[in-house]
Amino acid sequence: MKKKLIENTPPLPCPEGIFDWWTTVQLEAGILILDTYHHGILYARHGMNVETGEHATYRNDKWSSCNICDAIGLHSWWITTDDKERHFRISERDRSFLRDLLEIRGYQWRRPQPFETILGMEEDFDRMRREKTEMSRVARVNRMMSMVPQMPDNLEEWIDQRRLGGENYILKAKDAEQWSCSACGQEFTKDEIRTADGKKPRNKDKVICPHCGKTAVYLARKKCVDILTQFALVQPIDDKYSVVRHFDVNIYCGGRRKQVYLDEGTRIILFKDFGPKIWLGPEGKPCSLYHNQYPRYSYGGVAGTFDNKSNPANRRIRAGYLYDDGIEEAFRDTAYEDWGRLFAQMAAAGVELNYNALMTAYRDKALIGITELLFKGRFQRLLKETSDRINVWDGQYYGSLDRNGKTMEEVFGLRDRQLINRIREKNGGILAVNWMQWGERHHTKISEQAFKWVLQNNIAPNNLCWPLCRMTLEKTMNYLERQRKESYPGKSLGQVMDAYADYMEMCKKLKKDTTDEMIYRPRELKRRHDEAVLKIEQREAELKAEEYSRKFKEAESVLQEIAEKFTYQGNEYFIKVPSRIIDIVLEGRALHHCAGATDRYFDRIKQHETYICFLRKAAEPDTPFYTIEVEPGGTIRQHRGYLDEEPDIELIKPFLREWQQEIRKRMSKQDHELAAASAVKREENLQELREKNNTRVLNGLMEDFMEAAG
């Protein structure tokens, strides 16, 4: 697009008297220039090459590739005929000029109107440009994928050895009387199956196939063995690229010879030294991901189609094995070079890890050192869990090991090397580390039986906070196991632990001595738990009162302070000041209104803005009747009965007037100051409601409002 040409071509002036949209037309060097005016002011300049349809818009001192719709102020994807006629207004001379100009280029038969013809040419150009861009991108992807080397010939056998050790199985065939060998695929009867010493086999015994003579595992109850796993293959491409190829693997045994299905899910192209941007390729990253676009195993091992634009098959990279060849060569001169030697060693040892997650942490040199320490120290489970605790989005390690530790003791957070040796002996993970740290912190030696118990049941120290503060780990183990057997038969250990924690929390609420062994170690946990539930229900109101008193201590003190001043006794009615916040809550529940249901009333009490009082009938002193919100000076803001209704309010108002007069007599100088401040806050609240146009609440407040006289 000849942008300078358009900028240097003066726009034609807008005719006088135009107060809406108007467009002028001129042609310069094959560029159609449309100048759009809005209310006589130049809105945008739009240019289009009449031969190709290439276009651009100049607006607000910058260029964009917008089409004519945006240039004339039509930004919606849905454009009506009225919109076109109102926005694209041109003179009859310009209309004829455009029709003749565009008709020569063959667009008359498609789009008879000039605007639609121009829009059609630009849309065709945009479509062809997108198609060309996409074709160029696909060609680049295909060129890159064509450079990926062939797979090694022995991959199926290699992953079979890594995952299963090459093991075969004797399984039931489709015919119930027949059995088959996964090594040769032949069928035979059960009587032909024998162990190496000629005996009849039991389940999971190793036997000899009567046909091929190979050793296999006899599985008496299975018809198939179906195993899923993953592995990665690292290959150098040339002096600019290497590739990491991630495969999904399905090893299937059943009714025929063992089948190993490989399905390549993801290819990661690693960029080598790119000069100033070392390790950063065209995308500004050290690598680029290409995903197989088809579902898993849909091609039975065929490569499929890879693209870096999307991941429609939802390919995922998980923990797996690493093919032990070409790793260091492929990683050389990439961002992952520091991993090369260690990856090669772990791959040769057959370590199953999330290698991709480790690669994302290529900047973290300390993590590389920790990984090597765990590998050479033979902490297999801990090594795998470490790779699983790396966030692949930011390459950060979020585990509990100290990545800045210089020694093994510092990394594990343990001073005693014997504790670290115990973790290795049990092939423990993060959970084992946490328990050893707990034992050292509490100067407690964890027995082998207890250590095995917490690891098998996946119990962390914080899961046993209540019992471990009162019992040893061994006693805790024995107690919980006995309760699971006697009080909670059929329940999981986790459910028993939850029941115990729930029981102890209830004991705390009931103010029982949780350090008393009779409390923290009941013989029948379920019975004592259920009893505590009943007591909690019985004392709910009392416990709630204590909770509210703690939470709103200052407001409760204010109520006790004003009680004598606001209490008043009449012939038919009397005013009572609640002594506790819970009384207001219960009153609100009984009368089904908002007093007590929200903290704002308690905040007002604390600040001496308003107080809550109860109006009761003298004949029914314990029955809730009316709740009154009153200011320090006696002004009543609200008076509400059951469901916010106001029964007999006209009969009650004379009594309320008497009460207000009595309050005025009892007021001190400080009360007058508080009353003045309360009136200001009341007006602020009303103004806020007016601004929000909350007429319903405003009308209710105005109906209730009773200003104290005197």
Side-chain angles (χ1 to χ4, degrees):
M1 175 56 64
K2 301 177 182 179
K3 296 178 181 178
K4 286 295 182 183
L5 172 66
I6 298 174
E7 291 180 17
N8 294 331
T9 302
L12 297 179
C14 177
E16 294 184 3
I18 300 297
F19 297 103
D20 202 352
W21 295 92
W22 188 266
T23 301
T24 63
V25 180
Q26 54 184 317
L27 183 67
E28 292 290 339
I31 304 298
L32 183 64
I33 303 175
L34 304 176
D35 294 311
T36 301
Y37 292 87
H38 190 213
H39 298 304
I41 300 173
L42 186 62
Y43 177 80
R45 307 198 72 190
H46 185 73
M48 184 191 75
N49 189 314
V50 295
E51 297 294 338
T52 64
E54 182 183 6
H55 55 276
T57 298
Y58 187 70
R59 185 183 172 207
N60 296 331
D61 297 328
K62 60 182 180 180
W63 286 95
S64 66
S65 58
C66 300
N67 61 28
I68 189 175
C69 290
D70 292 303
I72 64 173
L74 293 173
H75 305 292
S76 175
W77 65 274
W78 178 259
I79 304 171
T80 65
T81 302
D82 291 341
D83 293 332
K84 298 172 189 176
E85 293 179 353
R86 186 167 62 86
H87 282 252
F88 191 70
R89 296 178 60 203
I90 58 178
S91 66
E92 286 301 322
R93 184 187 66 80
D94 287 344
R95 187 179 299 275
S96 299
F97 170 73
L98 285 176
R99 186 180 295 114
D100 294 340
L101 175 67
L102 301 175
E103 188 178 88
I104 297 174
R105 283 148 183 86
Y107 277 85
Q108 162 64 23
W109 62 275
R110 287 184 56 193
R111 301 178 184 270
Q113 299 300 324
F115 170 80
E116 294 181 346
T117 304
I118 295 170
L119 180 60
M121 292 177 68
E122 294 179 350
E123 288 176 341
D124 289 346
F125 175 81
D126 289 340
R127 181 170 55 255
M128 288 187 292
R129 182 173 56 183
R130 288 194 300 270
E131 291 173 355
K132 184 178 179 181
T133 301
E134 179 64 12
M135 290 173 64
S136 299
R137 189 194 68 81
V138 171
R140 288 195 303 272
V141 170
N142 291 338
R143 281 196 301 272
M144 177 59 72
M145 293 299 99
S146 66
M147 296 167 61
V148 174
Q150 294 293 319
M151 295 189 301
D153 295 333
N154 64 337
L155 274 185
E156 289 86 353
E157 294 79 4
W158 173 82
I159 189 60
D160 182 27
Q161 286 291 331
R162 276 283 181 263
R163 181 64 181 84
L164 295 177
E167 197 165 61
N168 284 292
Y169 303 95
I170 303 296
L171 303 159
K172 286 184 178 182
K174 292 182 180 179
D175 186 344
E177 301 299 324
Q178 294 291 108
W179 296 75
S180 67
C181 172
S182 65
C184 62
Q186 298 297 320
E187 294 187 0
F188 37 82
T189 63
K190 184 177 181 180
D191 295 336
E192 298 179 68
I193 306 173
R194 289 291 184 271
T195 61
D197 55 4
K199 295 180 180 179
K200 288 186 177 181
R202 293 179 298 179
N203 187 43
K204 295 187 178 180
D205 280 349
K206 288 195 174 182
V207 299
I208 305 299
C209 174
H211 282 270
C212 64
K214 292 184 178 180
T215 302
V217 177
Y218 171 68
L219 299 179
R221 302 179 184 89
K222 286 193 174 183
K223 291 186 178 181
C224 71
V225 173
D226 194 1
I227 297 173
L228 300 176
T229 187
Q230 285 193 351
F231 76 89
L233 170 65
V234 183
Q235 296 174 297
I237 296 178
D238 54 24
D239 59 348
K240 291 185 178 180
Y241 306 103
S242 293
V243 62
V244 181
R245 307 168 69 177
H246 290 271
F247 290 81
D248 295 313
V249 182
N250 180 206
I251 304 175
Y252 183 81
C253 306
R256 54 181 177 175
R257 293 186 63 178
K258 181 192 298 181
Q259 300 293 318
V260 180
Y261 300 99
L262 303 183
D263 183 39
E264 189 175 358
T266 304
R267 292 176 176 176
I268 305 177
I269 300 297
L270 311 182
F271 304 128
K272 296 190 177 181
D273 191 350
F274 272 78
K277 290 187 177 180
I278 188 167
W279 297 326
L280 299 182
E283 301 175 10
K285 300 177 182 178
C287 65
S288 182
L289 273 67
Y290 295 79
H291 298 288
N292 196 330
Q293 302 294 291
Y294 297 100
R296 290 171 176 78
Y297 310 113
S298 59
Y299 283 86
V302 178
T305 300
F306 287 82
D307 204 333
N308 61 352
K309 189 175 183 179
S310 61
N311 185 15
N314 194 27
R315 299 287 183 162
R316 289 291 180 266
I317 302 174
R318 300 179 179 87
Y321 300 92
L322 185 61
Y323 188 74
D324 50 343
D325 187 31
I327 298 172
E328 290 189 77
E329 180 186 356
F331 279 1
R332 191 173 296 121
D333 296 329
T334 70
Y336 313 98
E337 185 171 6
D338 292 339
W339 281 114
R341 178 180 57 83
L342 181 57
F343 271 28
Q345 294 174 356
M346 293 191 295
V351 179
E352 185 181 13
L353 293 177
N354 192 334
Y355 289 96
N356 181 64
L358 290 173
M359 288 178 62
T360 63
Y362 64 91
R363 296 186 183 90
D364 194 344
K365 308 303 180 185
L367 183 63
I368 298 176
I370 288 180
T371 305
E372 185 171 9
L373 182 149
L374 296 176
F375 167 65
K376 293 183 176 179
R378 304 188 307 281
F379 297 96
Q380 298 178 8
R381 177 175 295 180
L382 193 54
L383 178 60
K384 185 176 185 301
E385 290 182 2
T386 298
S387 71
D388 290 336
R389 281 167 171 76
I390 297 173
N391 188 326
V392 297
W393 297 107
D394 59 13
Q396 297 296 316
Y397 169 67
Y398 292 97
S400 57
L401 297 179
D402 185 359
R403 48 178 296 281
N404 295 315
K406 302 301 181 183
T407 64
M408 186 175 291
E409 288 82 359
E410 291 177 354
V411 169
F412 280 81
L414 295 168
R415 295 187 298 273
D416 190 346
R417 179 61 72 95
Q418 295 301 319
L419 298 179
I420 298 175
N421 293 337
R422 287 189 71 184
I423 297 171
R424 179 192 292 111
E425 291 168 4
K426 293 297 182 183
N427 190 24
I430 297 296
L431 187 61
V433 174
N434 292 340
W435 274 109
M436 290 297 100
Q437 291 172 342
W438 176 87
E440 187 174 74
R441 190 165 57 250
H442 292 85
H443 309 288
T444 301
K445 180 176 174 57
I446 301 175
S447 68
E448 285 297 315
Q449 184 182 9
F451 193 36
K452 182 179 179 181
W453 178 72
V454 294
L455 295 182
Q456 285 182 341
N457 292 283
N458 196 31
I459 301 173
N462 58 0
N463 298 141
L464 299 175
C465 292
W466 277 108
L468 289 181
C469 292
R470 293 154 178 82
M471 298 182 279
T472 64
L473 179 58
E474 289 72 16
K475 286 184 178 180
T476 298
M477 172 187 68
N478 295 330
Y479 176 74
L480 292 176
E481 287 293 347
R482 189 178 78 243
Q483 294 302 321
R484 177 165 66 164
K485 180 180 179 180
E486 297 176 359
S487 296
Y488 295 92
K491 300 294 184 181
S492 68
L493 183 61
Q495 291 172 305
V496 179
M497 291 164 55
D498 290 342
Y500 182 82
D502 190 33
Y503 162 73
M504 292 298 290
E505 289 289 347
M506 289 188 290
C507 289
K508 182 181 178 181
K509 285 186 177 181
L510 293 169
K511 293 188 175 181
K512 293 187 177 182
D513 183 5
T514 57
T515 62
D516 185 349
E517 187 174 5
M518 297 294 292
I519 300 299
Y520 71 73
R521 197 179 177 188
R523 183 175 183 82
E524 299 177 40
L525 176 61
K526 187 175 188 307
R527 180 173 65 83
R528 297 287 289 274
H529 175 276
D530 294 344
E531 289 173 356
V533 171
L534 292 175
K535 288 181 181 179
I536 286 288
E537 292 176 351
Q538 293 168 2
R539 294 185 56 192
E540 181 181 6
E542 181 181 345
L543 294 171
K544 204 70 174 176
E546 294 175 0
E547 179 185 343
Y548 274 100
S549 294
R550 287 194 302 271
K551 187 176 180 181
F552 304 104
K553 183 178 180 180
E554 295 181 47
E556 199 163 272
S557 299
V558 171
L559 290 175
Q560 295 167 4
E561 177 187 330
I562 68 164
E564 183 178 353
K565 191 177 301 182
F566 280 80
T567 301
Y568 182 68
Q569 180 72 48
N571 294 328
E572 296 185 35
Y573 308 102
F574 69 94
I575 295 293
K576 174 184 178 181
V577 178
S579 60
R580 301 181 304 172
I581 293 296
I582 191 62
D583 296 335
I584 301 175
V585 175
L586 297 177
E587 184 89 356
R589 292 178 183 176
L591 296 178
H592 296 278
H593 55 54
C594 61
T598 174
D599 294 354
R600 72 173 182 269
Y601 292 104
F602 308 140
D603 291 334
R604 289 176 183 173
I605 294 172
K606 182 176 69 174
Q607 297 168 12
H608 287 273
E609 180 182 348
T610 61
Y611 310 125
I612 296 295
C613 298
F614 301 156
L615 169 65
R616 300 282 174 86
K617 293 180 179 179
E620 302 176 24
D622 297 325
T623 303
F625 185 40
Y626 264 87
T627 303
I628 311 294
E629 183 183 13
V630 58
E631 295 179 2
T635 295
I636 296 175
R637 288 194 185 182
Q638 296 186 79
H639 43 71
R640 297 299 168 91
Y642 183 71
L643 292 176
D644 281 341
E645 298 294 333
E646 298 182 325
D648 302 328
I649 188 60
E650 295 303 325
L651 300 176
I652 295 171
K653 280 186 176 181
F655 168 76
L656 293 177
R657 293 292 185 191
E658 291 177 18
W659 177 49
Q660 287 179 315
Q661 292 173 5
E662 188 64 29
I663 292 173
R664 301 296 292 182
K665 294 176 184 178
R666 300 173 182 178
M667 287 176 64
S668 64
K669 180 180 178 181
Q670 183 183 10
D671 293 329
H672 283 284
E673 293 174 354
L674 293 173
S678 178
V680 172
K681 291 181 180 179
R682 179 214 315 150
E683 186 56 36
E684 291 175 354
N685 294 336
L686 293 174
Q687 183 60 32
E688 184 178 350
L689 292 172
R690 294 187 192 102
E691 292 174 356
K692 293 181 179 179
N693 199 26
N694 196 338
T695 55
R696 183 182 65 82
V697 176
L698 274 171
N699 292 337
L701 292 175
M702 297 310 295
E703 291 175 1
D704 288 359
F705 184 72
M706 292 179 62
E707 186 170 7

